[in-house]
Amino acid sequence: MNSSRTVSLADVAREAGVSPATASRALNSAYGVAAATRERVAEVARRLEYVASPEAARLATGTTRSVALVVPHLDRWYFGEMVGGLEEVLRAAGHDVLLYHVGDPEGRHAFFEHLPARRKVDAVVVVAVPVTDHERRRLELMGVTIVAAGGQDAMYPYVSIDDAAAVRQATEHLLRLGHRRIAMITAVDPDRTDQPIHRGRTRGFYEAMTRNDVPIDEELVVTTTWGGVQAAEAMEKLLSVRELPTAVLAHSDEMALGAMRTIRRAGLRVPEDISVIGIDDHPLAELVDLTTVRQPVRDQGLQAAHLLLALLRGEQPDRAQKLPTRVVVRSTTATARIDRSGAEHSAPGITRH
Amino acid sequence: MNSSRTVSLADVAREAGVSPATASRALNSAYGVAAATRERVAEVARRLEYVASPEAARLATGTTRSVALVVPHLDRWYFGEMVGGLEEVLRAAGHDVLLYHVGDPEGRHAFFEHLPARRKVDAVVVVAVPVTDHERRRLELMGVTIVAAGGQDAMYPYVSIDDAAAVRQATEHLLRLGHRRIAMITAVDPDRTDQPIHRGRTRGFYEAMTRNDVPIDEELVVTTTWGGVQAAEAMEKLLSVRELPTAVLAHSDEMALGAMRTIRRAGLRVPEDISVIGIDDHPLAELVDLTTVRQPVRDQGLQAAHLLLALLRGEQPDRAQKLPTRVVVRSTTATARIDRSGAEHSAPGITRH
DNA sequence: CGCATTTTCGGAAGCGCTTCCGAATATGAT
DNA sequence: ATCATATTCGGAAGCGCTTCCGAAAATGCG
């Protein structure tokens, strides 16, 4: 099966009656070779099923035509979707996609210290991972183009959503439904619990509330790491508050589901007793009829890849792109039951999805 | 920042006062170089932050130290989890991981015809994608080691679960609960609707049913493509049957959720009116209290990677590995309400999760 | 039709590493 | 101390491609 040696450029050249130099030009660069010759070489190459040796080409040109994707948590929908988008356009542009998983702190440390991608890629895209200053410095050692997809690193050219706006939309949806005691389950990155990773999201909540003159009960703002079960636990804390919230806003759909489980197990109903809204529009959100604010994840991947390609071409594209989000109303949110302080607006113009 | 040229082996050699040949040996092969020299070279390399040029090494050795992962649907949990497992051990073994997404039919066709990974990898692992004979032949053109992770291709060395057993477990769980009118929502690959992709799963159902002398109503076995909404539609068909099923078994958790939505929207309750069981133990299954049969996805990835490494080392490992599954009882299954024909066993020994 | 350009193409160097082979040196046995 | 053997190391040839440079051929112009 795998009998004959793989054919080399030299083979093609010989067969086509030209020099390797010409063969190379014929196959790659458009100019400097007569149309007839080019066609002949191409024909021979096709017939011989010639496939260029990428290493040789890379060695000679010094360019790898491949990019590294640095991702934590392949297992979460958000990341898979993002990677899918990136892969699509990167591959279409003829680049190879190397995957680097930096899940836990050790893996993360290993990646930034050893830089396994060094010398192997022309660019790296960090997918929603907040890099520390030190990590950033290490990354720069690679001397390649860097872009960020998702997350909120203004450090590099990036494309993401407007986190503050997303949460504002969610909050305003609840406010419109007459809710005033709104709780929020804030997510932080487990590796970087020091700072609220989605400052933007937290800010959006405060903005929407104050803008609508609704007081914020700090007791109703709880913080935990990403993940459904963590959110479920956080929700328990919220249920132990003197006066229950009438709605809760979670930083992700998974977290919203976790919260819902706790609520139901406590004998309360969603949305009759407590409304729940998530963020993401995870594919399963539709199946469980979860109200959420949709963010275009795949699009972020696509755009980030385009941004990267532009950078690689030496262009000067917009270094920051924010994609729009919008709330998708399903059935986990409803008008507030206990209107404690005269809800001005009672859910007008809200269309069901 | 990126001022000085990257250091080459020659630089290290010069600095250490040895020839490039010796430097290379010192850094790679264990033997043929005095311990003192090796240490000196290593020291210099470290000091100069030397990183070998992979292309040069590859060109010279003819080995790439990287493997291709061929996956459809990055966006589904199953695949992300699997890839995560694969990546972990492959990377730990010093291999690079190239990602090839072959989602839709075109992408798929493009991949197998152009074989973009050709000459770029030492091995490829196909992740739960059923390859046709033609595709298999194309793949072999690459002349590399191939293993399958997940799915049911006995074509290559593989690791997966015993699909028949998994469904048998699910079916038996329902039977133990006294169900007799059990429906199944079968999944097929959208690209290959011709043949039931999970023959094993379908078989497991028939086996369990006949083994327990429970008649199968063919009307209760519906087929659709993977996905929650598809399953939701399939469920509608099941609800239009003269005599409703008392339980439904879906080929994935996503599908189970889709079915549940349809059931609920029809005004029926889960599990009081209809029990639902899925397969996978998707992380969200826990959050929605879905009964399911858990399959160790990540482990399949890990094992598949180990299998591949063994093969690459020239060993002769078991060409087929089946990982165990087990049902995880939560709250979407309950004892059958309408015991139409004297259910012998009424759920003994079932412990709640 | 002759000369200046332009186009097409081959020679050759080089990308950075590995590895075969043989020379030089060290080690051990007698 | 001497010779055989083992060990350590350098020279050099490639791996398969790209690209600079110059020669040869084709084309355009007056």
Side-chain angles (χ1 to χ4, degrees), chain A residues 6-48:
Chain A
T6 60
V7 325
S8 69
L9 214 218
D11 298 327
V12 176
R14 191 177 330 108
E15 186 77 9
V18 298
S19 74
T22 306
S24 174
R25 270 179 302 235
L27 262 14
N28 304 318
S29 64
Y31 242 67
V33 41
T37 330
R38 175 159 353 108
E39 184 45 49
R40 184 154 39 89
V41 173
E43 157 58 21
V44 172
R46 209 173 309 122
R47 181 156 54 75
L48 265 44

Side-chain angles (χ1 to χ4, degrees), chain B residues 64 69 78 88 99 113 144 183 195 219 255 287 310 336 338 345:
Chain B
T64 67
L69 262 38
Y78 176 88
E88 177 176 324
L99 199 59
E113 291 315 309
V144 300
Q195 56 176 6
E219 227 179 352
M255 297 180 83
L287 299 180
I338 320 138
H345 7 251

Side-chain angles (χ1 to χ4, degrees), chain B residues 290-308:
Chain B
L290 173 69
T291 295
T292 186
V293 6
R294 169 184 301 168
Q295 66 163 317
V297 180
R298 171 160 249 269
D299 285 346
Q300 290 178 64
L302 297 173
Q303 300 279 27
H306 283 302
L307 174 58
L308 178 57

Side-chain angles (χ1 to χ4, degrees), chain B residues 135-211:
Chain B
E135 290 171 340
R136 187 163 51 75
R137 237 168 292 124
R138 294 291 306 170
L139 219 45
E140 276 165 1
L141 239 51
M142 288 178 61
V144 300
T145 308
I146 301 174
V147 315
Q152 62 298 295
D153 290 297
M155 219 86 90
Y156 308 112
Y158 71 96
V159 10
S160 69
I161 58 167
D162 185 333
D163 284 305
V167 173
R168 228 182 300 128
Q169 290 170 340
T171 311
E172 279 164 1
H173 168 64
L174 295 174
L175 288 171
R176 265 197 303 273
L177 287 174
H179 294 279
R180 314 213 81 213
R181 277 193 72 71
I182 301 178
M184 177 167 72
I185 302 180
T186 302
V188 296
D189 195 272
D191 300 2
R192 319 272 322 283
T193 46
D194 45 326
Q195 56 176 6
I197 201 42
H198 273 100
R199 255 164 311 186
R201 297 200 176 180
T202 304
R203 182 160 48 76
F205 180 65
Y206 283 81
E207 283 176 6
M209 292 292 269
T210 59
R211 190 177 296 180

Side-chain angles (χ1 to χ4, degrees), chain A residues 15-347:
Chain A
E15 186 77 9
V18 298
S19 74
T22 306
S24 174
R25 270 179 302 235
L27 262 14
N28 304 318
S29 64
Y31 242 67
V33 41
T37 330
R38 175 159 353 108
E39 184 45 49
R40 184 154 39 89
V41 173
E43 157 58 21
V44 172
R46 209 173 309 122
R47 181 156 54 75
L48 265 44
E49 290 202 304
Y50 167 72
V51 181
S53 158
E55 3 290 344
R58 289 170 182 177
L59 220 209
T61 62
T63 175
T64 68
R65 287 199 77 69
S66 55
V67 354
L69 263 38
V70 181
V71 284
H73 330 292
L74 263 331
D75 52 328
R76 286 209 318 238
W77 167 77
Y78 176 88
F79 296 94
E81 187 80 0
M82 184 76 86
V83 168
L86 287 160
E87 204 267 358
E88 177 175 325
V89 356
L90 255 18
R91 170 150 314 293
H95 289 268
D96 280 321
V97 174
L98 295 224
L99 198 60
Y100 292 89
H101 186 193
V102 296
D104 47 20
E106 307 93 78
R108 184 182 187 119
H109 183 261
F111 177 82
F112 287 103
E113 290 315 309
H114 302 345
L115 294 178
R118 208 172 181 180
R119 294 267 233 151
K120 289 182 191 154
V121 297
D122 294 337
V124 1
V125 9
V126 295
V127 180
V129 5
V131 297
T132 63
D133 282 352
H134 173 250
E135 290 171 339
R136 186 162 54 73
R137 237 168 292 125
R138 293 292 308 171
L139 219 45
E140 275 165 3
L141 239 49
M142 289 179 61
V144 300
T145 309
I146 301 175
V147 316
Q152 63 294 298
D153 290 295
M155 220 87 89
Y156 308 112
Y158 71 95
V159 10
S160 69
I161 58 168
D162 184 333
D163 284 306
V167 172
R168 230 183 297 127
Q169 291 169 340
T171 310
E172 279 164 2
H173 167 65
L174 295 173
L175 288 171
R176 266 198 303 274
L177 288 174
H179 293 279
R180 313 211 83 213
R181 278 194 71 71
I182 302 177
M184 176 166 73
I185 302 180
T186 302
V188 296
D189 195 271
D191 299 3
R192 319 272 321 282
T193 44
D194 43 326
Q195 57 177 4
I197 201 43
H198 274 101
R199 253 164 310 186
R201 297 199 177 179
T202 304
R203 183 160 45 78
F205 179 65
Y206 283 81
E207 283 176 6
M209 293 290 269
T210 58
R211 190 177 297 179
N212 285 271
D213 296 320
V214 177
I216 291 177
D217 183 345
E218 290 293 348
E219 225 178 353
L220 295 185
V221 177
V222 296
T223 296
T224 185
T225 54
W226 293 98
V229 302
Q230 289 88 331
E233 289 163 10
M235 189 68 221
E236 284 172 16
K237 223 177 301 172
L238 288 176
L239 290 187
S240 70
V241 154
R242 293 161 285 86
E243 189 182 354
L244 292 184
T246 65
V248 18
L249 154 48
H251 275 194
S252 80
D253 286 349
E254 282 177 88
M255 297 181 84
L257 290 183
M260 282 168 62
R261 185 178 71 171
T262 301
I263 294 172
R264 291 216 182 92
R265 287 191 177 172
L268 298 171
R269 291 157 307 158
V270 174
E272 291 82 356
D273 297 311
I274 298 184
S275 282
V276 174
I277 186 170
I279 290 184
D280 274 353
D281 198 21
H282 187 293
L284 295 188
E286 181 184 356
L287 300 180
V288 296
D289 276 330
L290 173 69
T291 295
T292 187
V293 6
R294 169 183 302 169
Q295 65 162 317
V297 181
R298 171 160 249 269
D299 285 347
Q300 289 177 64
L302 296 174
Q303 300 280 28
H306 283 303
L307 172 59
L308 179 56
L309 292 176
L311 249 16
L312 247 23
R313 279 191 302 265
E315 298 171 11
Q316 305 278 320
D318 285 349
R319 291 178 55 88
Q321 293 177 36
K322 298 258 188 198
L323 268 34
T325 53
R326 73 159 213 274
V327 4
V328 176
V329 181
R330 296 207 182 92
S331 56
T332 57
T333 48
T335 64
R337 205 184 183 183
I338 321 138
D339 287 324
R340 298 168 50 262
S341 45
E344 312 78 356
H345 6 250
S346 58

Side-chain angles (χ1 to χ4, degrees), chain B residues 62-344:
Chain B
T63 176
T64 67
R65 287 200 77 71
S66 56
V67 354
L69 262 38
V70 181
V71 282
H73 332 291
L74 263 333
D75 51 327
R76 287 208 317 241
W77 168 76
Y78 176 88
F79 296 94
E81 187 78 0
M82 185 77 85
V83 169
L86 286 161
E87 204 266 358
E88 177 176 324
V89 356
L90 256 17
R91 171 150 314 293
H95 288 268
D96 279 322
V97 175
L98 296 223
L99 199 59
Y100 292 90
H101 186 194
V102 296
D104 48 21
E106 307 92 77
R108 186 181 184 121
H109 183 262
F111 177 81
F112 286 102
E113 291 315 309
H114 302 348
L115 294 178
R118 209 172 181 178
R119 295 265 233 153
K120 289 181 192 155
V121 297
D122 293 337
V124 0
V125 7
V126 296
V127 180
V129 5
V131 297
T132 64
D133 282 352
H134 174 250
E135 290 171 340
R136 187 163 51 75
R137 237 168 292 124
R138 294 291 306 170
L139 219 45
E140 276 165 1
L141 239 51
M142 288 178 61
V144 300
T145 308
I146 301 174
V147 315
Q152 62 298 295
D153 290 297
M155 219 86 90
Y156 308 112
Y158 71 96
V159 10
S160 69
I161 58 167
D162 185 333
D163 284 305
V167 173
R168 228 182 300 128
Q169 290 170 340
T171 311
E172 279 164 1
H173 168 64
L174 295 174
L175 288 171
R176 265 197 303 273
L177 287 174
H179 294 279
R180 314 213 81 213
R181 277 193 72 71
I182 301 178
M184 177 167 72
I185 302 180
T186 302
V188 296
D189 195 272
D191 300 2
R192 319 272 322 283
T193 46
D194 45 326
Q195 56 176 6
I197 201 42
H198 273 100
R199 255 164 311 186
R201 297 200 176 180
T202 304
R203 182 160 48 76
F205 180 65
Y206 283 81
E207 283 176 6
M209 292 292 269
T210 59
R211 190 177 296 180
N212 285 272
D213 297 319
V214 177
I216 292 177
D217 184 345
E218 290 293 346
E219 227 179 352
L220 295 185
V221 177
V222 296
T223 296
T224 185
T225 54
W226 292 98
V229 301
Q230 290 88 331
E233 289 163 11
M235 190 67 223
E236 285 173 13
K237 225 178 299 171
L238 288 175
L239 290 186
S240 68
V241 154
R242 293 161 286 87
E243 189 182 355
L244 291 185
T246 64
V248 17
L249 155 49
H251 276 192
S252 81
D253 287 348
E254 282 177 87
M255 297 180 83
L257 290 183
M260 282 168 62
R261 185 179 70 172
T262 301
I263 294 171
R264 292 218 181 90
R265 286 189 178 173
L268 298 171
R269 291 157 307 158
V270 175
E272 290 82 356
D273 297 311
I274 299 184
S275 283
V276 174
I277 187 171
I279 290 183
D280 275 352
D281 198 20
H282 187 294
L284 294 189
E286 181 185 355
L287 299 180
V288 296
D289 275 331
L290 173 69
T291 295
T292 186
V293 6
R294 169 184 301 168
Q295 66 163 317
V297 180
R298 171 160 249 269
D299 285 346
Q300 290 178 64
L302 297 173
Q303 300 279 27
H306 283 302
L307 174 58
L308 178 57
L309 292 176
L311 251 14
L312 247 26
R313 279 191 302 263
E315 299 171 10
Q316 306 277 320
D318 286 348
R319 290 177 57 87
Q321 292 178 37
K322 299 260 189 197
L323 268 34
T325 54
R326 73 160 213 273
V327 4
V328 176
V329 182
R330 295 206 181 90
S331 57
T332 56
T333 49
T335 65
R337 204 184 185 183
I338 320 138
D339 288 322
R340 296 166 50 261
S341 45
E344 312 78 355

